[in-house]
Amino acid sequence: MSKELICLSNCVMSYGDDIVLDHINLYIKDKEFLTLLGPSGCGKTTTLRIIGGFLLPTSGDILFDGARINDVPPHKRMVNTVFQRYALFPHLNVFENVAFGLRMGQTQIQEVKGKQVRCKVKLPEEEIRSRVLDMLEIVNLKGFEKRSISALSGGQQQRVAIARALVNRPKVLLLDEPLGALDMRLRKDMQNELKRIQQEMGITFIYVTHDQEEALAMSDTVVVMDGGRIQQIGTPEDIYNEPKNAFVADFIGESNIIDGVMRADGEVEIFNRRFQCLDKGFAPNEPVDVVIRPEDVDIVAEEQGQLKGTVTSVTFKGVHYDTIVDFYGFKWLIQTTDFCPVDSRIGIKIDPDGIHVMKKSRYSGLFGDYSSYSEEYDEIGDADYDFEQDGSREGGDEE
């Protein structure tokens, strides 16, 4: 198991009464690809800048390899940063852009009069050339040494920026939304490249993004943030399949989030119907939030459904249809390869492992209804809807 490399302990960042980070505790392992994920203003870039030394937290400690580094300036940390704006030197070619940091000299610890001191050591030209060419090969820019920066595509410029940051051999590379300026196809290509480079170099990457697909595709660990707080930390699979609250469930992928009641272990009630699930440990009859991913819903004939509804909108997405279905005034998103025309009546079935139950939180009731997708947006569901009169208990599998 990789050792702990960076620790943020009880970090607070505030500007007067404005709290940007609210007592953050975060542990980052050596050689880990960790992504800070969240909406604008959630505190992810502030966290990155604190790690890089560009900001000093109002309170709390930053530890690097066990040593407190709060007062260590950025240029003395074993950390380099790649920003969204690459900040390449237009008057220098590719080779000289990558070599720039090496020509400034390398910090080494030497013994002077019996004491260990840091000093700048100028590298031999032969070593600079060897390290630059090796790095260009790693980022798939071999043969581009003499190319002008202005002659490169956006993706190639991004590779130069990454090579320049990595050629100094930092222990950690910080990436602040570095793919934001690229088009979608190039972003996906660079996601694969970044993961390959991180694995090949064997160093820690800390990546900031608001793009949940990007986070899921590249990361070993995802840290979901909102309002200056960490909402959940886990693997991409854990974050997607076992969200801790309605914010995480809504932010990571598409979700139908419904009010429910946990009647007993393995049994949750939504829309006055009881469904089998795999969740346990809740109090009997505890109000809960229920997450059902759109891809986990099976469309069946109306009379065979556990729930019955009316299709209000259908959008073709290439590999599937985004189908909006009205269940008693609450709109669900279902992703299916089956085409169901608007106004058709359908039934749905959900397997126990397709239902995830969460405790109520301050985010409860804020997400999950896909009314905005529907042409019937103005038709608000009646809170006093009579399920019995509708016959919703017929044809189901209630015990």
Side-chain angles (χ1 to χ4, degrees), residues 112-184:
V112 179
K113 295 182 180 181
K115 294 184 178 180
Q116 299 287 326
V117 296
R118 291 177 177 267
C119 56
K120 286 282 188 179
V121 177
K122 187 175 181 180
L123 296 177
E125 188 63 29
E126 184 178 343
E127 182 178 350
I128 291 176
R129 178 171 178 79
S130 175
R131 286 172 62 171
V132 170
L133 293 179
D134 286 347
M135 190 53 59
L136 289 176
E137 185 170 359
I138 287 175
V139 299
N140 286 333
L141 287 178
K142 183 178 180 180
F144 283 70
E145 303 92 83
K146 298 181 180 180
R147 190 77 62 90
S148 167
I149 292 299
S150 62
L152 300 180
S153 68
Q156 290 167 341
Q157 290 182 21
Q158 179 62 273
R159 294 167 193 259
V160 175
I162 293 168
R164 185 177 63 182
L166 290 175
V167 76
N168 287 328
R169 298 173 180 171
K171 284 192 174 182
V172 178
L173 184 65
L174 309 179
L175 302 106
D176 189 2
E177 305 216 37
L179 308 185
L182 305 181
D183 61 48
M184 185 176 67

Side-chain angles (χ1 to χ4, degrees), residues 254 294-295 314-323 333-339:
E254 304 282 2
E295 67 272 19
V314 180
T315 304
F316 181 59
K317 290 299 185 80
V319 297
H320 68 265
Y321 296 96
D322 274 4
T323 302
L333 171 64
I334 300 174
Q335 293 174 339
T336 176
T337 56
D338 298 325
F339 175 73

Side-chain angles (χ1 to χ4, degrees), residues 100-261:
F100 182 83
L102 297 179
R103 296 198 189 284
M104 299 294 289
Q106 295 287 282
T107 300
Q108 296 183 3
I109 298 177
Q110 295 186 351
E111 188 169 325
V112 179
K113 295 182 180 181
K115 294 184 178 180
Q116 299 287 326
V117 296
R118 291 177 177 267
C119 56
K120 286 282 188 179
V121 177
K122 187 175 181 180
L123 296 177
E125 188 63 29
E126 184 178 343
E127 182 178 350
I128 291 176
R129 178 171 178 79
S130 175
R131 286 172 62 171
V132 170
L133 293 179
D134 286 347
M135 190 53 59
L136 289 176
E137 185 170 359
I138 287 175
V139 299
N140 286 333
L141 287 178
K142 183 178 180 180
F144 283 70
E145 303 92 83
K146 298 181 180 180
R147 190 77 62 90
S148 167
I149 292 299
S150 62
L152 300 180
S153 68
Q156 290 167 341
Q157 290 182 21
Q158 179 62 273
R159 294 167 193 259
V160 175
I162 293 168
R164 185 177 63 182
L166 290 175
V167 76
N168 287 328
R169 298 173 180 171
K171 284 192 174 182
V172 178
L173 184 65
L174 309 179
L175 302 106
D176 189 2
E177 305 216 37
L179 308 185
L182 305 181
D183 61 48
M184 185 176 67
R185 178 65 182 270
L186 196 52
R187 282 176 73 110
K188 290 186 179 297
D189 290 343
M190 281 305 300
Q191 289 170 18
N192 295 329
E193 282 297 295
L194 283 174
K195 186 61 179 176
R196 178 190 63 79
I197 292 168
Q198 187 263 338
Q199 292 175 337
E200 187 169 338
M201 295 292 293
I203 68 173
T204 301
F205 275 28
I206 304 176
Y207 192 93
V208 161
T209 184
H210 62 273
D211 187 324
Q212 49 95 7
E213 289 187 9
E214 205 164 82
L216 296 178
M218 295 190 296
S219 311
D220 300 316
T221 302
V222 178
V223 180
V224 184
M225 301 182 67
D226 184 54
R229 298 179 180 179
I230 293 175
Q231 301 297 322
Q232 187 171 352
I233 301 174
T235 65
E237 292 83 1
D238 288 342
I239 294 288
Y240 187 84
N241 294 322
E242 300 291 332
K244 294 292 186 184
N245 59 40
F247 173 82
V248 177
D250 181 77
F251 196 80
I252 305 296
E254 304 282 2
S255 297
N256 301 296
I257 307 173
I258 308 108
D259 288 332
V261 178

Side-chain angles (χ1 to χ4, degrees), residues 362-380:
R362 66 190 182 98
Y363 298 102
S364 297
L366 299 180
F367 308 104
D369 187 347
Y370 282 85
S371 294
S372 58
Y373 283 73
S374 175
E375 296 176 354
E376 300 174 12
Y377 178 77
D378 294 326
E379 296 182 18
I380 306 300

